[in-house]
Amino acid sequence: MNEHVALIWKKLDHLARMREYLRYSIAQVAKLLPIDNWQELQPDQHETLAAFRIRFSEYQEHMGKTMKAIAVEEEKPSEPFTAVLLYMEKLQCITSADRWKNIRELRNAVNHEYEDDPAVLHEFFDQMMQSAPDLLLWHGQLLDFCHRTYPHKSPDQNQ
Amino acid sequence: MRLTPAQIDTIKSTAQAVLGEGVQLTLFGSRVHDDQKGGDVDLYAEVDRPELMKKIRCKVSLQDQLDMPVDLIVKPLNDQSPIALIAKQEGIRL
């Protein structure tokens, strides 16, 4: 295994840990939704929502970096990032580059736009909850590709 | 304004397709000014009922087609928020 492939596996191991944290947050947020009155949320409930938002964002970001590392290893174009997404689409690691971009834009909007309208806040979290299964699925498909292409006994194989 | 007729057509047709035929578009920010350089494409869109995922799809599609960063604000018709007033006072209707 070359050094770069070892780095890809390190990223995948980290991604696997992030996935477990995200799954935990998904379960916690599912218990909270729908939220009828945002004003009545307790600090621990705000913390649950914040953890989900951050874990969702970081999970996609780290998956993107891992996909880029795979494109580099396979000597495919890695800039602009759309080239990586189209390559991942071709490998069937992701369903659609557009869907990936829409989720990325959703997370950017959630992280950068100050929003206090309860209806919009609810839509943000509802859409992230709807998008999380896509990220989890793509992670699994990415892992399948890596197991086939870069044989390695990772922690995921023991699950 | 610093947009080509083709770019304006792209913006209008994409916004109408994603946000709805009735969308009203205003270009504001630095691209209104001919003496400035670079900068994002700041767009203010008014629709009957703003929907988060439509806004996101529209922004992603515009960025892909224009190959430029786009800042898209979508508000209900006749919104009176500060950003709505700034965009409509300083902007150019497309």
Side-chain angles (χ1 to χ4, degrees), chain A residues 101-102 105 113 123 127, chain B residues 52-53 55-56 59 64:
Chain A
K101 287 181 191 177
N102 288 341
E105 193 52 48
E113 289 183 21
E123 202 177 355
Q127 289 297 336
Chain B
L52 178 62
M53 289 314 288
K55 174 196 162 179
I56 283 169
K59 181 178 174 178
D64 275 354

Side-chain angles (χ1 to χ4, degrees), chain A residues 31-50 121 125:
Chain A
K31 291 179 199 166
L32 281 180
L33 296 180
I35 296 167
D36 295 324
N37 191 341
W38 288 77
Q39 308 300 328
E40 287 181 4
L41 284 180
Q42 298 301 305
D44 62 320
Q45 293 171 315
H46 279 293
E47 197 166 79
T48 295
L49 293 170
L121 277 173
F125 280 98

Side-chain angles (χ1 to χ4, degrees), chain B residues 40-72:
Chain B
D40 298 356
V41 178
D42 294 307
L43 292 170
Y44 181 80
E46 291 177 281
V47 296
D48 280 338
R49 284 183 55 237
E51 290 180 40
L52 178 62
M53 289 314 288
K54 283 187 179 178
K55 174 196 162 179
I56 283 169
R57 278 200 298 275
C58 187
K59 181 178 174 178
V60 168
S61 179
L62 286 173
Q63 288 186 148
D64 275 354
Q65 292 179 81
L66 299 172
D67 199 21
M68 291 195 283
V70 172
D71 193 0
L72 175 65

Side-chain angles (χ1 to χ4, degrees), chain A residues 52-63:
Chain A
F52 170 66
R53 179 171 57 79
I54 291 165
R55 287 169 179 174
F56 179 95
S57 301
E58 291 183 345
Y59 184 60
Q60 191 191 23
E61 190 176 344
H62 191 71
M63 203 186 311

